[in-house]
Amino acid sequence: MILFFLAYFGGMLTIVSPCILPVLPFVFARADRPFIRSGLPILAGMAAAFAAVATLAAVGGGWAVRVNQYGRDAALALMALFGIALLFPVLSDWMTRPLVALGARLSQSAEQPGNAQDSSVLTSLLLGVATGLLWAPCAGPVLGLILTGAALQGANAQTSLLLLAYAAGAATSLALALLVGGKAFAAMKQSLGAGEWIRRGLGLAVLAAVTVIGFGLDSGFLTRISLSSTASLEQGLLDRFHSDPAGANAQIKPSVVMTGGPAMMSGNPAMMMTAKPTAPAEDLPVEGALPSLSGAVEWLNSPQLTADALKGKVVLVDFWTYSCINCLRAIPYVRAWAEKYKDQGLVVIGVHAPEFAFEKNVNNVRAAITSLGITYPVAIDNDYAIWRAFNNQYWPAHYFIDAKGQIRHHHFGEGDYDGSERVIQQLLAEAGGSTTPGDLVTVSASGSEAASDMGEVQSPETYIGYERTENFVSPGGVVKDARHVYTAARPRLNEWSISGAWTIKGEHAVLNGKDGSIVFRFHSRDLHLVLGPPADGKPVRFKVTIDDAAPGESHGTDIDAEGQGIVTGQRLYQLVRQNGEIADHTFAIKFLDPGVQAFAFTFG
């Protein structure tokens, strides 16, 4: 019930969000009509359409987004004709094309005395559905939480009801504004005799809104200029009702928010860097039974394992994904525990739950576990079946199960490795392991697996695809899903830009020609970039500079001192490891061949 309240309240807050501005003309264009027969059906249609489309996009995958794009295009055309009819009512008398006639009838039907009331209601409802298809809220943590549940838990009634509650909250705010606006419009028409000019002004506003939405400014520029962001208020409410057990050392499964209508994107994944210490092992309570391990599309290094077959064994379940920097830094310890305690009865299971689409490729995962030296069983959880069974939310996440099949402890993210190992030792001792070693492993990791310098990390994980990107400063902003020639900008700390001919997609950007660049102003010891070659697999050469100079001794493991490197596979590349005092620097990478795919920056 609390979540439904938060959803409704989050929706109400959208009235002060700039992304509500483009749909206001659609609503206020009929503000002078009776609220019950006009305003209420518009808002009901808008709320229902938004909830339905958001649910479908969250659980239906890319095909749902593509199908819905046709609906958005049709809605844009309908609203454009609606605006033209408002602006030039005389033209509607001689326009004969079916869509134009429909647009004219939508703008005039409520004024014709012979029309039945139900016709006016249906007209308003249709306009509301079209508005719902076009509405792209500047969604904050509340909507992100709802849509994360939709993406991970699949289609269910609760998701749809929560989305409907969010949309109803927005409709409530708009209804109050509409009631006030309707009275103001009526007073203006009576006192000034300016009804025709008001009508034409609304027509211009509708056409302007169509232009704004058509060019994607409703989810790009308006979001960036927002002076009334509600994200902090929403996050405060969520924190009050649901504290974060992970501390600050894990990557949250990305929240999905709305941008450009129903296209789904992740919000702002948190990179958390300090861990909550583990309680003494003897105080560990029973947290529940080991859930089912069924649903993986494939198992690597082992036949399929089951909860029943693991009874009598101490089990460590590690949720990870191979391009996650937090996961990579935890793996040396998991690997060491698997080796040290395998003869004492410990079974380690890696559950690979992908973040990016390329991580669903089993061959990519197979290559990654070979490169990382992982020999314990790995379940390929491409459908998040095991993830959902554990109700997990983080990468990495470690669950410790005793020999009775009971979860006795969990740990989210990096850190507190000594505490986690003590838990393993305690559970093995409970299972009758009299020869369990009492010492702790010593890990000497290098490259991207080396521990982060947490005190110097002042740059957040940053995604390249438009669904989750932030702080993009190339002039003109993002052009979605179309080839565009970008120019570089001079970024401030944690801002980035690109230059050259790129196509920015929802999850990543693709370089259409050679000599494209990405620039990022950062503050951390390490900088990583998730990259992939073109679809044909051809290697892509690149060169890195730091403050316009070769990196020298500050080069990462995937480049040389001159900054030269090659993209050969879809993975995380360590490009910078600063040598010496850590400070703000401008990172630049220039790709010498076309087709590279860029996904996300991470830091350490």
Side-chain angles (χ1 to χ4, degrees):
M1 183 59 67
I2 291 176
L3 189 53
F4 281 98
F5 165 76
L6 290 174
Y8 181 80
F9 185 73
M12 289 188 66
L13 290 177
T14 61
I15 193 66
V16 296
S17 168
C19 290
I20 201 69
L21 296 178
V23 304
L24 290 181
F26 305 151
V27 176
F28 280 98
R30 301 175 69 83
D32 58 338
R33 291 158 173 75
F35 178 77
I36 298 299
R37 296 200 308 271
S38 180
L40 185 60
I42 285 178
L43 297 175
M46 173 182 166
F50 170 78
V53 168
T55 301
L56 182 64
V59 302
W63 68 268
V65 174
R66 290 192 296 272
V67 169
N68 182 71
Q69 185 61 46
Y70 297 126
R72 278 176 55 80
D73 293 341
L76 281 171
L78 178 64
M79 287 304 187
L81 293 173
F82 178 45
I84 291 173
L86 286 171
L87 188 59
F88 304 110
V90 176
L91 295 180
S92 65
D93 295 334
W94 56 268
M95 288 180 174
T96 58
R97 294 181 180 179
L99 285 177
V100 176
L102 175 60
R105 286 196 298 272
L106 286 173
S107 67
Q108 296 175 356
S109 61
E111 297 178 344
Q112 295 175 1
N115 282 359
Q117 290 185 358
D118 60 345
S119 176
S120 176
V121 170
L122 289 174
T123 297
S124 298
L125 186 64
L126 180 58
L127 287 174
V129 170
T131 302
L133 289 172
L134 298 176
W135 181 38
C138 296
V142 170
L143 185 55
L145 177 64
I146 296 170
L147 293 175
T148 296
L152 292 180
Q153 303 298 336
N156 57 68
Q158 183 182 21
T159 292
S160 297
L161 291 174
L162 286 170
L163 288 167
L164 190 59
Y166 185 91
T172 300
S173 296
L174 286 172
L176 296 175
L178 186 57
L179 289 171
V180 175
K183 294 180 180 179
F185 281 5
M188 292 174 65
K189 292 174 71 174
Q190 291 176 2
S191 62
L192 302 178
E196 190 62 32
W197 288 107
I198 293 175
R199 178 191 180 98
R200 292 181 178 178
L202 288 170
L204 285 173
V206 168
L207 292 175
V210 168
T211 301
V212 166
I213 294 174
F215 282 96
L217 298 178
D218 57 322
S219 58
F221 175 71
L222 288 177
T223 302
R224 291 195 297 272
I225 67 170
S226 173
L227 298 179
S228 54
S229 172
T230 62
S232 58
L233 178 57
E234 291 184 35
Q235 189 62 55
L237 288 171
L238 289 177
D239 292 342
R240 181 179 180 86
F241 291 107
H242 177 70
S243 60
D244 177 13
N249 67 334
Q251 179 176 326
I252 299 175
K253 179 70 173 75
S255 304
V256 280
V257 302
M258 300 295 293
T259 179
M264 309 305 299
M265 89 175 223
S266 298
N268 305 320
M271 297 297 293
M272 298 184 253
M273 300 302 186
T274 58
K276 181 179 179 180
T278 301
E282 58 269 24
D283 297 334
L284 299 176
V286 174
E287 299 181 357
L290 172 63
S292 170
L293 298 175
S294 62
V297 300
E298 189 171 342
W299 284 76
L300 304 179
N301 295 338
S302 167
Q304 179 177 345
L305 300 177
T306 66
D308 289 339
L310 290 169
K311 291 287 182 64
K313 298 287 187 179
V314 173
V315 180
L316 167 60
V317 176
D318 171 28
F319 284 92
W320 70 294
T321 187
Y322 81 80
S323 73
C324 165
I325 186 60
N326 306 87
C327 302
L328 294 177
R329 291 194 288 247
I331 279 177
Y333 292 90
V334 179
R335 195 170 54 216
W337 297 332
E339 179 63 27
K340 179 178 179 180
Y341 298 105
K342 64 181 180 181
D343 294 333
Q344 280 73 44
L346 175 68
V347 176
V348 175
I349 300 174
V351 178
H352 187 272
E355 177 180 10
F356 297 111
F358 67 79
E359 291 175 307
K360 292 186 177 182
N361 186 317
V362 178
N363 288 332
N364 285 348
V365 182
R366 186 177 286 110
I369 66 174
T370 299
S371 175
L372 294 168
I374 294 174
T375 58
Y376 49 80
V378 175
I380 306 299
D381 195 26
N382 284 353
D383 298 325
Y384 302 103
I386 303 175
W387 180 290
R388 290 196 300 269
F390 276 80
N391 196 27
N392 186 50
Q393 299 181 57
Y394 301 94
W395 293 294
H398 299 152
Y399 293 87
F400 301 81
I401 296 93
D402 65 20
K404 297 178 181 179
Q406 302 171 131
I407 299 176
R408 296 287 299 280
H409 182 62
H410 64 265
H411 183 272
F412 300 139
E414 303 174 55
D416 193 28
Y417 299 112
D418 289 354
S420 292
E421 188 171 1
R422 293 295 186 195
V423 170
I424 293 172
Q425 292 174 348
Q426 173 67 22
L427 297 182
L428 289 172
E430 290 180 6
S434 59
T435 60
T436 301
D439 60 325
L440 301 175
V441 299
T442 300
V443 169
S444 179
S446 61
S448 58
E449 296 182 21
S452 175
D453 185 356
M454 305 320 310
E456 292 292 349
V457 178
Q458 298 180 23
S459 293
E461 181 173 20
T462 301
Y463 291 87
I464 306 298
Y466 64 74
E467 290 179 347
R468 289 185 272 176
T469 194
E470 292 182 301
N471 302 325
F472 179 68
V473 294
S474 283
V478 172
V479 177
K480 300 177 183 177
D481 299 314
R483 183 183 185 276
H484 182 73
V485 178
Y486 293 88
T487 57
R490 184 180 297 276
R492 297 174 297 181
L493 182 63
N494 298 331
E495 292 180 340
W496 66 285
S497 68
I498 59 178
S499 63
W502 293 81
T503 298
I504 300 182
K505 301 183 179 183
E507 188 178 74
H508 62 281
V510 179
L511 179 61
N512 301 123
K514 62 180 182 179
D515 296 334
S517 299
I518 305 176
V519 178
F520 197 113
R521 184 76 172 171
F522 75 104
H523 186 113
S524 65
R525 185 194 68 193
D526 301 340
L527 180 147
H528 314 92
L529 184 55
V530 179
L531 298 168
D536 60 13
K538 291 183 178 179
V540 175
R541 298 167 299 154
F542 64 84
K543 187 170 184 178
V544 167
T545 60
I546 302 175
D547 298 331
D548 298 321
E553 293 184 357
S554 292
H555 70 89
T557 55
D558 289 301
I559 62 174
D560 60 22
E562 296 299 315
Q564 298 175 348
I566 302 177
V567 178
T568 56
Q570 295 168 314
R571 62 178 179 87
L572 180 144
Y573 290 78
Q574 186 186 75
L575 303 178
V576 175
R577 167 153 290 180
Q578 290 196 56
N579 182 39
E581 183 179 356
I582 309 303
D584 295 359
H585 293 288
T586 298
F587 163 88
I589 181 169
K590 182 177 181 179
F591 299 99
L592 307 180
D593 302 300
V596 73
Q597 302 175 26
F599 292 84
F601 284 95
T602 59
F603 303 90

